[in-house]
């Protein structure tokens, strides 16, 4: 059977979910192993961001609490990479675009922010993340939005 999200041999997953969890078991062991992809398992909450950066996953499998911890670790490390005010402006500009503002000014700001602000944060998550799978409860809007960027 095929998953809704086709898995490829070059996919790399990072899992913060126990294989006792049905999502962790089904995705990591059945989906990823069957596709020939690489499965990485997190070493613990304190190492979430470092494990993600080292494994460079294209797919992240996590619970809402672990997503919150990971976002907090990235936020803390972002201070070294970009100024907080620039990050907040980048997020605000992307929200405007998603809400339907297609003005030239917003488009130009988003290009600038994507290259010089968000582009500096993506490497903190390994630089290849394309899918996020939640196991369990839904994450809060702020955390979900952060990973959509």
């Amino acid at each position: 059977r095929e998953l809704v999200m086709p898995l490829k041999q070059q996919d790399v997953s990072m899992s913060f979910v126990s294989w006792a969890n049905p999502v962790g078991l089904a995705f990591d062991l059945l989906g990823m192993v069957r596709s020939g992809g690489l499965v990485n398992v997190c070493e613990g909450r304190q190492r979430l961001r470092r494990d993600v950066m080292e494994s460079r996953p294209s797919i992240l499998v996590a619970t809402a609490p672990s997503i919150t911890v990971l976002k907090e670790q990235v936020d803390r490390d972002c201070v070294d990479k970009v100024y907080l005010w620039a990050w907040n402006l980048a997020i605000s500009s992307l929200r405007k675009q998603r809400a339907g503002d297609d003005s030239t000014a917003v488009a130009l700001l988003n290009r600038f922010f994507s290259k010089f602000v968000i582009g500096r944060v993506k490497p903190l998550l390994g630089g290849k993340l394309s899918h996020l799978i939640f196991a369990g409860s839904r994450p809060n809007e702020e955390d979900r939005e952060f990973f959509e960027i």
Side-chain angles (χ1 to χ4, degrees), residues 7-54:
L7 299 173
K8 301 177 252 9
Q9 189 172 3
Q10 62 267 27
D11 281 329
V12 176
S13 79
M14 181 73 203
S15 184
F16 303 131
V17 178
S18 163
W19 287 341
N21 180 306
V23 173
L25 176 68
F27 183 80
D28 286 340
L29 292 183
L30 303 178
M32 288 298 291
V33 171
R34 181 170 180 241
S35 73
L38 180 64
V39 177
N40 292 289
V41 179
C42 180
E43 292 182 39
R45 283 190 118 161
Q46 287 73 32
R47 285 195 43 96
L48 289 178
R49 196 196 59 75
R50 282 181 282 163
D51 285 349
V52 167
M53 202 163 139
E54 288 171 10

Side-chain angles (χ1 to χ4, degrees), residues 2 28 56 61:
E2 291 297 318
D28 286 340
R56 301 186 59 203
V61 183

Side-chain angles (χ1 to χ4, degrees), residues 59-116:
I59 303 165
L60 192 60
V61 183
T63 60
S66 57
I67 287 297
T68 300
V69 170
L70 180 58
K71 181 187 174 292
E72 289 168 358
Q73 290 175 0
V74 170
D75 282 345
R76 184 188 64 233
D77 294 341
C78 275
V79 174
D80 297 337
K81 299 282 181 187
V82 296
Y83 292 109
L84 192 56
W85 61 268
W87 177 254
N88 290 334
L89 285 174
I91 299 297
S92 174
S93 181
L94 285 168
R95 282 182 185 146
K96 286 179 184 177
Q97 185 179 34
R98 287 186 181 156
D101 185 342
D102 57 352
S103 68
T104 305
V106 169
L108 288 172
L109 279 173
N110 283 338
R111 275 191 179 159
F112 172 80
F113 287 135
S114 290
K115 185 170 184 169
F116 296 106

